[in-house]
Amino acid sequence: APAASTAPAAPSGGPASACGPEAQGTTPEGRAERELLGALRARRAELDAREQALLTREVVAEATERRATQRLEELSALQRQAASGDRERSEREEAGWRQMVKLYEGLRPRDAAAIFDELDLAVLVPLMDRLRESKAAPILGAMRPERARALTAELARHRSSRGRE
C-alpha cells in the first residue's frame, strides 16, 4: 500500500480532467465557455427574431405599396371617367344651345325680341352671347329699351366673368 502512495498524481487540468462534460463545467474556463456559448445562442436567437420581424415588415410594406398603387390606378380611371362624362355633358349642353341659337336666328328680329323681352335673364344672357352679332343687333334693337339695357349690362358682366376664367 505504501508504494501506491508514492505514485505521482495526474496534474489537474490535464487530459484526464478535461475528458467528461461534467469536468468542463467545474473549471472557471469551462463555466466561462458555457456562459459565452449561451450568450452567443441568445444573441443568435435575438438576431433571428429581428431578421424575421424585418422580413415581415418588408412583406407588409410591399403589400401596402401594391394596394396603394392599385388605388391610385382606380382613382385615375375614375377621374378619366368623370372627365369624359363632363365633356360629354358639356358637348350635349352646347349642342342644345346651338339648336336654340339656330332657332332664334331663324326668326324675324321683331318676333325674337317679343320673346326675349319676357325671357328670364339667366337663359337670355347665354343665348344672346351665342348669337351672331348680325342677328343679335336687330333683335336687341327691337326689344323694349329698359329690357335691352338690362340685357346689355348682364351680357357685359357675363363676358367679363368668362374672360377671367
Side-chain angles (χ1 to χ4, degrees):
S5 66
T6 60
S12 81
S17 68
C19 286
E22 60 278 338
Q24 281 182 338
T26 58
T27 67
E29 294 84 14
R31 282 191 302 271
E33 187 177 322
R34 252 195 3 249
E35 288 174 14
L36 180 61
L37 287 174
L40 287 173
R41 278 190 211 103
R43 180 70 176 147
R44 179 65 182 180
E46 180 185 324
L47 290 173
D48 287 346
R50 280 185 182 179
E51 182 180 9
Q52 190 59 42
L54 287 173
L55 289 173
T56 302
R57 285 184 193 159
E58 187 177 321
V59 168
V60 168
E62 287 173 358
T64 302
E65 186 177 346
R66 279 193 304 274
R67 280 194 305 265
T69 300
Q70 182 181 5
R71 293 282 188 211
L72 284 174
E73 289 170 359
E74 290 171 2
L75 285 174
S76 293
L78 286 173
Q79 283 178 329
R80 285 190 300 273
Q81 278 181 328
S84 174
D86 287 347
R87 273 193 308 275
E88 289 173 8
R89 187 173 28 81
S90 293
E91 288 170 4
R92 282 193 307 270
E93 188 176 305
E94 191 57 37
W97 280 109
R98 280 193 302 270
Q99 287 176 332
M100 198 178 306
V101 164
K102 187 175 181 180
L103 172 81
Y104 281 107
E105 285 182 342
L107 291 177
R108 290 185 308 187
R110 182 175 9 142
D111 295 337
I115 296 168
F116 283 12
D117 277 336
E118 303 303 320
L119 199 58
D120 185 48
L121 282 176
V123 175
L124 182 56
V125 169
L127 178 62
M128 194 67 145
D129 190 40
R130 287 174 171 83
L131 286 173
R132 290 187 310 229
E133 285 183 32
S134 63
K135 298 290 184 173
I139 296 172
L140 193 60
M143 290 175 70
R144 291 190 323 259
E146 68 278 355
R147 184 66 175 174
R149 274 192 297 278
L151 174 59
T152 301
E154 285 301 312
L155 195 54
R157 270 194 284 281
H158 175 75
R159 286 181 178 174
S160 150
S161 69
R162 191 179 60 202
R164 284 180 275 195
E165 292 175 357

